[in-house]
Amino acid sequence: MKNFFTILLLILTLTTGYSQKTELKICLNTGLFSFTGNAATSYTQIYSAQPFFTGTINPYGKKSGLSGGLSLNLQRVLKENIIFGMNAGYQSNQSKVLINSVIQGDSANSVFENAKGQSYVTNSSIMVYPFCGYRFQINKIPIDLMGGINLDFIDTTKEKGNATDANNVEYNVSGDMKSINLDVSPKIQLATEYKKFGLVVGYSRGLVNYQQGYYANPNYTETREVYSKNINFGITYRLK
């Protein structure tokens, strides 16, 4: 991560003589985070072999949970309205999958029960987003169009959920789901500002498979693919 800040500072230093201004903003972020790929799903089941094991068969949901984060955005706007910068901070992204049944027992004696519930997978990470772009002006209001690579240095990935079956029996699931340390996502972002307050919206899709190297069974050779997808929104306040 230090290398990215070093590169940013070098860019800002080299462009000092040509720059229009340097801007520093604090960003409060939220978003619609979910998973995509052939192994992501909207509905799943809980497998229960109590008291030995209770778990979600596929926790990687196509639906969105509650996400949020806080970051600092440092950027330099050149005379030609070209933008170089970096956004970095803490991010918690959450996906959601709905639970529609519970499978009890072993594979030879399985019992299916209808159920209703949900399970969430939450990524906690340090986010670094180096970017470049261009500033448009519409009635003296700046519109910044930016693109770059979003890097999520993942600290934890955890699942937590619950469901209730037709007999009113409740099942709880939780566990450590961390499978990768770094998620890399090309990202485009649009931002605007009025006085010191601004809005930002962006879209990114991950390139790193959360299920890399995993196969459903020895006789099934198709790789399970699960990638992150994030539509983020933010409110900014310019400090400088």
Side-chain angles (χ1 to χ4, degrees):
M1 191 183 305
K2 292 181 179 178
N3 292 334
F4 292 104
F5 283 106
T6 301
I7 293 171
L8 176 62
L9 292 174
L10 179 60
I11 292 173
L12 297 181
T13 300
L14 292 176
T15 58
T16 299
Y18 306 94
S19 66
Q20 211 172 36
K21 59 181 174 180
T22 298
E23 297 174 348
L24 178 63
K25 304 176 184 178
I26 187 169
C27 310
L28 182 62
N29 308 301
T30 186
L32 301 174
F33 178 86
S34 60
F35 290 103
T36 186
N38 65 11
T41 184
S42 297
Y43 296 90
T44 191
Q45 302 81 35
I46 286 178
Y47 177 75
S48 178
Q50 296 182 355
F52 305 105
F53 174 79
T54 299
T56 308
I57 290 180
N58 185 356
Y60 294 101
K62 291 184 176 181
K63 299 181 180 295
S64 301
L66 180 64
S67 298
L70 187 66
S71 62
L72 282 175
N73 186 95
L74 178 64
Q75 66 183 35
R76 177 152 283 165
V77 185
L78 307 184
K79 289 183 179 180
E80 297 82 4
N81 286 330
I82 296 174
I83 303 170
F84 292 97
M86 181 177 291
N87 190 45
Y90 170 80
Q91 192 75 27
S92 177
N93 291 321
Q94 188 177 82
S95 69
K96 176 182 177 181
V97 64
L98 299 179
I99 298 169
N100 57 13
S101 63
V102 174
I103 305 172
Q104 299 183 19
D106 55 38
S107 58
N109 299 285
S110 296
V111 177
F112 287 77
E113 292 281 355
N114 291 330
K116 186 175 182 180
Q118 58 281 314
S119 188
Y120 301 90
V121 171
T122 303
N123 270 352
S124 298
S125 62
I126 299 297
M127 174 271 296
V128 179
Y129 173 49
F131 60 84
C132 62
Y134 187 82
R135 171 165 292 181
F136 301 88
Q137 294 281 346
I138 300 178
N139 295 327
K140 297 184 179 181
I141 296 177
I143 306 293
D144 297 346
L145 178 62
M146 296 162 288
I149 301 295
N150 196 83
L151 304 169
D152 282 313
F153 296 88
I154 298 173
D155 180 33
T156 61
T157 303
K158 294 186 179 295
E159 181 198 9
K160 188 172 184 179
N162 61 79
T164 303
D165 68 15
N167 298 313
N168 208 33
V169 177
E170 184 175 354
Y171 301 83
N172 295 290
V173 292
S174 62
D176 186 355
M177 294 292 299
K178 186 175 180 180
S179 58
I180 62 173
N181 294 315
L182 173 64
D183 196 359
V184 180
S185 311
K187 181 176 181 179
I188 57 173
Q189 189 163 280
L190 193 66
T192 187
E193 184 178 284
Y194 179 73
K195 295 186 178 179
K196 288 193 172 186
F197 290 93
L199 297 173
V200 60
V201 60
Y203 173 80
S204 62
R205 187 187 186 281
L207 300 177
V208 182
N209 183 9
Y210 279 68
Q211 289 275 271
Q212 56 190 355
Y214 178 84
Y215 298 90
N217 63 62
N219 300 317
Y220 186 65
T221 58
E222 182 182 3
T223 303
R224 292 170 57 90
E225 295 183 342
V226 177
Y227 301 97
S228 63
K229 183 175 68 173
N230 195 10
I231 301 173
N232 70 282
F233 310 92
I235 299 173
T236 64
Y237 179 77
R238 181 160 46 86
L239 303 172
K240 177 182 177 183

